[in-house]
Amino acid sequence: MNTAYSGTAMKADIVIAGGGPAGMMAAIAGAEAGGTVCLLEPNERLGKKLNITGKGRCNLTNRCDPESFLQNVPRNGRFLYSACSQFDSDAVMAFFESLGVPVKVERGNRVFPVSDRAFDVSGALEKRMRQLGVRLVRDRAEALLIHDGSLRGVRTAGGDLEAAKVIVATGGVSYPLTGSTGDGYRLAEQAGHTIVEPRGSLVPLCAAGTLCPRAQGLSLRNAALRVYENGKKIYQDFGEMLFTHFGVSGPMILSASAHMRHFDKKTYRLEIDLKPALDEPALDKRLISDFGKHPNSDFINALDELLPRKLIEPFVERTGIDPREKVHDLTREQRRRVLSLLKALPLEITGPRPAAEAIVTSGGVKVKEVNPSTMESKLLPGLFFAGEVLDVDAYTGGFNLQIAWCTGRLAGVSAGEAARAGRLSGGAPEERMSHG
């Protein structure tokens, strides 16, 4: 791939704004469908956000059937049915295997490269684009070129790039240092699209009180979680979580945040079951047994076998029991209070962390204005969308990258086939690309 314009004329069917996973997949699909492709990316390297996913290991997808996939997309999942059905997780795995990136399936059907290196994934995509003659330009799309209601390309800082088809794959607003700065929303609005207000999803949560900062750094590996919205349970999960100086984070919390979308008008509470393997009668017997071993100990010193050390002091404070009260003096009612908190430790959630700290963006281009069978705009023919710029988002586990792959693939194929058909029919003029 060339990295700069030489000033010479070239034919271009498709300009793609954004060199992340959706944009790279769209470039490959568009070129394989017979289109000539130019990819715009201002970062020094492609796939900057892709390279940090899965803690640098890159959770490529989640191996499941399309229906199971859609169940893990809480926002506008049905919109993705066509894209996912045409390029499901098995197809994604086969695609990367064909590029020389062997993959493996881990717990929860999460799919990773065998090497555990995200750079192998982005490198393989770059190599395939070079093989297909995709042109790379280090620049950003500043505006669409629209003349007499027809799309003609994009304007960049370096000049105008003319093309019959434009694919916007610029990402959302999460991780802005990777280049996700909301450019795609401005391009979409220029074409008349509605933008559902972007916010962070899969994001850590802020909690009231002092319990979380006092337990900062503590990770719970086998906890159960319940989420309440205005007092009604809306979600539950089991897995890992982390206490932080501001509240809570970790895989289970990030997934829960996807269900907590109305902090402006609703209240949210978490309940953490610290002993999910024991029901209340069994846990009560455990308490009686543990307390029986230390009848003369202070209450605060009798919980070492029940709780992590960092959690004991703030937990005891929540019980309202004097930490120096002797265990043999505890009443049944006090023991019941301990039992209740072990099974449902409450945390009042005050809001999410900033969108910049979110893994993905919720909100974006309104999907009712996009054709789900092609990813083409219903408002401006020739304009396509792919990936996080759309108002779709999913849980953790590889589902969001699957969205990027399948929407990018569909947008690229649709744009490439349409451009090729236009050339064959003589209906599309040669696009001359100038820069500077």
Side-chain angles (χ1 to χ4, degrees), residues 52-118:
I52 63 173
T53 60
K55 298 180 180 178
R57 296 177 61 215
C58 190
N59 185 182
L60 278 170
T61 185
N62 191 287
R63 190 175 194 182
C64 62
D65 59 70
E67 285 297 333
S68 297
F69 164 72
L70 296 180
Q71 290 171 10
N72 283 277
V73 184
R75 189 166 184 84
N76 297 322
R78 300 307 301 179
F79 170 78
L80 298 170
Y81 185 82
S82 180
C84 180
S85 297
Q86 293 181 53
F87 198 58
D88 62 11
S89 59
D90 282 342
V92 168
M93 293 168 67
F95 171 79
F96 281 104
E97 294 268 4
S98 75
L99 297 188
V101 182
V103 300
K104 59 184 176 179
V105 182
E106 296 188 357
R107 179 175 58 86
N109 291 322
R110 290 170 166 84
V111 178
F112 293 89
V114 169
S115 66
D116 287 329
R117 283 175 44 88

Side-chain angles (χ1 to χ4, degrees), residues 269-288:
R269 183 180 83 255
L270 305 182
E271 285 185 357
I272 304 167
D273 185 346
L274 298 165
K275 297 295 175 183
L278 300 174
D279 60 18
E280 288 201 8
L283 183 56
D284 194 32
K285 288 181 180 179
R286 167 77 183 274
L287 280 175
I288 292 170

Side-chain angles (χ1 to χ4, degrees), residues 45 47 50-51 56 58 117-124:
R45 70 175 300 145
L50 176 67
N51 289 331
C58 190
R117 283 175 44 88
F119 284 105
D120 290 350
V121 176
S122 59

Side-chain angles (χ1 to χ4, degrees), residues 107-323:
R107 179 175 58 86
N109 291 322
R110 290 170 166 84
V111 178
F112 293 89
V114 169
S115 66
D116 287 329
R117 283 175 44 88
F119 284 105
D120 290 350
V121 176
S122 59
L125 292 169
E126 285 192 59
K127 180 180 178 181
R128 181 59 179 153
M129 286 190 289
R130 281 194 298 271
Q131 292 171 344
L132 292 165
V134 173
R135 185 100 180 236
L136 173 62
V137 176
R138 301 292 184 183
D139 209 337
R140 119 178 14 256
E142 294 184 344
L144 298 174
L145 298 176
I146 303 173
H147 299 294
D148 298 326
S150 296
L151 180 65
R152 302 294 177 85
V154 300
R155 174 158 293 149
T156 75
D160 292 351
L161 306 182
E162 298 176 12
K165 312 296 176 187
V166 174
I167 300 175
V168 176
T170 51
V173 293
S174 60
Y175 291 131
L177 292 178
T178 65
S180 299
T181 55
D183 287 352
Y185 305 144
R186 291 187 285 276
L187 299 176
E189 285 179 319
Q190 186 187 351
H193 279 277
T194 305
I195 304 301
V196 178
E197 183 178 2
R199 53 173 288 278
S201 186
L202 304 185
V203 63
L205 300 171
C206 299
T210 63
L211 186 147
C212 292
R214 289 165 72 183
Q216 178 181 349
L218 173 64
S219 177
L220 301 179
R221 297 192 177 277
N222 295 295
L225 178 74
R226 296 180 291 275
V227 180
Y228 293 85
E229 180 183 81
N230 287 352
K232 179 183 178 181
K233 186 169 76 171
I234 60 168
Y235 180 72
Q236 62 184 27
D237 201 358
F238 176 86
E240 300 179 23
M241 62 171 289
L242 173 71
F243 291 97
T244 72
H245 67 283
F246 56 78
V248 284
S249 186
M252 184 166 61
I253 299 298
L254 298 180
S255 290
S257 73
H259 297 267
M260 305 163 73
R261 301 175 179 271
H262 306 289
F263 284 99
D264 55 333
K265 52 190 176 184
K266 296 183 180 181
T267 60
Y268 292 94
R269 183 180 83 255
L270 305 182
E271 285 185 357
I272 304 167
D273 185 346
L274 298 165
K275 297 295 175 183
L278 300 174
D279 60 18
E280 288 201 8
L283 183 56
D284 194 32
K285 288 181 180 179
R286 167 77 183 274
L287 280 175
I288 292 170
S289 173
D290 281 9
F291 288 168
K293 298 174 187 176
H294 311 283
N296 297 314
S297 296
D298 293 345
F299 172 51
I300 198 169
N301 295 327
L303 299 173
D304 287 350
E305 296 180 25
L306 277 167
L307 292 171
R309 182 165 296 277
K310 270 196 170 184
L311 196 54
I312 290 176
E313 196 171 300
F315 179 89
V316 168
E317 192 173 288
R318 285 287 186 99
T319 68
I321 300 170
D322 184 344

